[in-house]
Amino acid sequence: MATINENFLKLQAGYLFPEIGRRIRAFKAENPDADVISMGIGDVTQPLAPAVVEAMKKAVDEMGQTETFKGYDDSGIGYEFLRQAINENDFKARGVQLDIDEIFVSDGAKCDTGNMQEIFGLDNIIAVTDPVYPVYVDTNVMAGRTGSATDKGQYEGIVYMPCTEENDFVPDLPKEKVDLIYLCFPNNPTGAVATKEQLKNWVDYAKDNKAIILFDAAYEEFISDADIPHSIYEIDGAKNVAIEFRSFSKTAGFTGVRCAFAVVPKQLKAYTKDGKAVEVNPIWGRRHCTKFNGVSYVSQAGAAAVYTPEGKKQTQQVINIYMNNAAQMRQSLTKLGYTVYGGVNAPYLWMKTPNGMNSWEFFDLLLEKAHLVGTPGAGFGFAGEGYFRLTAFALPSNVKEAMQRFAAI
Ligand SMILES: *Cc1c(COP(=O)(O)O)cnc(C)c1O
């Protein structure tokens, strides 16, 4: 008899985006002529930068010639040309010294943030923010690190750290001892960023408790304030306690191309049950190369082009388009009397629902009255109730139209 991994049965049904899709389909079935604008799903809309397209075309041509054809990437962790470019531009330029063997190229930060927990013991206490990017939670449920879901939609055994107006959506240190801490800044869904001092508190906590921080920096390119850190390694000592995740998805429009990377510093240690320190870097390397055979050469060539002078200029222009959207949305919604957070150093706006409406009620109201789609805050966790996420990734013309519709509600 084949038995199933029953941890999967603990996962809550009615996952957020399928439910949103269901409600949109039902609305469209009744209103076939409605022009629905989506500011819901976190996917980008602008095309790849020309420098990236050129590099990918050239790479395809190389693949079509015997002399320059490439098969498996022998290193298994990404071509050196890409890891060098990442190291120079994303880290060295910010005063962070890394070795390119601490950089593991992958096909997504979703997979990396989901897979990383595998190399850690099942007895670790996991801490996540509330609201949270659901991948961190669900992958720990699948692995068996939790009990069942409570009626608050939270899993037994996970420590949830509320992010509220009172703490500027940056969580306080947990009162209980935790071992693996998932942080995401700039944050999806709240758009909040963490200062150097706030991150230093977390690094100190991790040091004091022999904990590890799993830092998702997928949105770091959207930071505009000069004093907000882009990498957790800008904090002294973070290389001893943190893994960082990056992605080309949102920063360079790679959601359909696929290229990302994880940084696992060589001095990062985890422990055996009897307290012996073990280096994490070779273990992640072993896991990565056993279960993954590398990102396509064409994608990696495209990713490397993001770091060329033209590539940098062009991707910055695209980010400016999204951040102009965010600024317009903030301005319009604030003028209409809404309380809005985020949208300054992140492509997400986190707005309070009006008149204490719950977040699904507000979703239905917006869809019916304005034909607009956003994401109910409750879908990201218990503390997300009473909030609503809008993304700045829509086309500028749609943003303009959407703001007019908001005004007419
Ligand atoms: C979009 C996103 C990612 C990136 O995922 P990819 O798999 O690289 O496309 C990672 N983390 C968060 C929080 C995201 O919103």
Side-chain angles (χ1 to χ4, degrees):
M1 181 177 76
T3 61
I4 198 77
N5 176 347
E6 292 190 26
N7 294 313
F8 280 71
L9 305 180
K10 295 177 192 160
L11 292 167
Q12 286 168 290
Y15 179 64
L16 182 60
F17 291 104
E19 176 59 22
I20 290 176
R22 194 188 64 73
R23 292 192 191 205
I24 296 172
R25 279 191 303 278
F27 175 79
K28 281 187 173 164
E30 291 196 4
N31 304 273
D33 298 330
D35 166 30
V36 175
I37 296 179
S38 176
M39 303 172 111
I41 296 170
D43 202 355
V44 295
T45 54
Q46 293 292 318
L48 294 173
V52 170
V53 173
E54 274 316 301
M56 291 178 78
K57 281 184 179 166
K58 186 168 158 267
V60 169
D61 286 341
E62 287 174 52
M63 295 296 273
Q65 303 289 331
T66 311
E67 299 74 34
T68 47
F69 168 78
K70 286 183 162 54
Y72 290 124
D73 162 13
D74 289 336
S75 80
I77 64 171
Y79 288 105
E80 274 195 33
F81 67 80
L82 177 57
R83 289 184 293 130
Q84 293 282 13
I86 289 169
N87 198 14
E88 291 293 323
N89 294 280
D90 284 334
F91 298 104
K92 212 172 262 176
R94 294 196 175 275
V96 176
Q97 298 305 319
L98 290 182
D99 184 298
I100 63 162
D101 292 335
E102 296 175 306
I103 297 169
F104 297 84
V105 175
S106 78
D107 61 351
K110 184 183 211 173
C111 330
D112 284 342
T113 55
N115 290 330
M116 192 58 74
Q117 48 77 28
E118 254 185 63
I119 64 167
F120 296 103
L122 287 179
D123 46 1
N124 283 295
I125 305 289
I126 306 294
V128 296
T129 60
D130 178 12
V132 67
Y133 181 56
V135 175
Y136 317 149
V137 173
D138 289 358
T139 52
N140 277 291
V141 174
M142 292 171 182
R145 256 181 221 99
T146 74
S148 315
T150 66
D151 44 9
K152 274 171 90 179
Q154 301 189 327
Y155 291 94
E156 290 160 3
I158 289 188
V159 173
Y160 289 86
M161 307 180 292
C163 297
T164 60
E165 285 178 292
E166 288 71 38
N167 60 22
D168 288 327
F169 303 100
V170 177
D172 302 326
L173 297 173
K175 301 204 172 50
E176 53 277 82
K177 203 167 151 2
V178 299
D179 307 303
L180 294 177
I181 303 150
Y182 289 85
L183 295 178
C184 173
F185 292 110
N187 188 261
N188 175 10
T190 67
V193 284
T195 62
K196 270 208 164 111
E197 295 68 39
Q198 287 168 325
L199 287 184
K200 183 176 181 303
N201 275 341
W202 279 105
V203 168
D204 290 345
Y205 175 93
K207 249 187 248 170
D208 294 345
N209 292 282
K210 294 188 172 168
I212 290 178
I213 298 167
L214 302 167
F215 191 75
D216 187 342
Y219 294 97
E220 58 80 29
E221 280 285 321
F222 293 85
I223 294 173
S224 55
D225 288 355
D227 47 359
I228 298 293
H230 287 235
S231 167
I232 195 163
Y233 305 122
E234 291 178 54
I235 314 304
D236 279 343
K239 281 205 277 182
N240 292 307
V241 295
I243 290 170
E244 183 164 301
F245 303 97
R246 297 272 188 112
S247 172
F248 295 93
S249 282
K250 316 300 163 43
T251 60
F254 271 50
T255 52
V257 175
R258 312 306 304 150
C259 195
F261 59 94
V263 179
V264 185
K266 288 184 176 164
Q267 64 251 57
L268 179 73
K269 304 274 193 339
Y271 300 86
T272 61
K273 281 212 176 64
D274 46 17
K276 194 172 140 262
V278 177
E279 287 181 20
V280 178
N281 173 292
I283 302 216
W284 177 247
R286 188 73 172 78
R287 189 265 168 221
H288 197 63
C289 295
T290 299
K291 294 198 177 183
F292 184 63
N293 239 339
V295 178
S296 86
Y297 171 64
V298 178
S299 296
Q300 293 193 59
V306 171
Y307 297 107
T308 60
E310 317 79 68
K312 279 184 192 169
K313 204 169 105 215
Q314 293 160 359
T315 44
Q316 188 57 51
Q317 281 165 353
V318 171
I319 287 173
N320 292 347
I321 291 175
Y322 296 138
M323 292 316 288
N324 282 338
N325 285 345
Q328 292 220 345
M329 291 158 69
R330 255 185 86 94
Q331 199 187 24
S332 306
L333 295 170
T334 307
K335 218 159 114 192
L336 292 170
Y338 291 101
T339 304
V340 183
Y341 297 96
V344 177
N345 292 294
Y348 293 110
L349 279 80
W350 189 239
M351 60 185 288
K352 273 179 104 160
T353 55
N355 313 318
M357 239 183 203
N358 88 36
S359 61
W360 278 109
E361 281 168 2
F362 188 59
F363 175 91
D364 290 334
L365 174 104
L366 261 193
L367 182 56
E368 275 155 35
K369 288 235 172 110
H371 307 171
L372 292 178
V373 174
T375 316
F380 298 101
F382 187 73
E385 185 52 278
Y387 289 90
F388 200 72
R389 189 192 77 173
L390 293 175
T391 85
F393 288 128
L395 295 170
S397 54
N398 280 344
V399 169
K400 201 159 157 238
E401 167 71 19
M403 291 304 115
Q404 283 164 1
R405 293 188 194 173
F406 255 105
I409 294 175

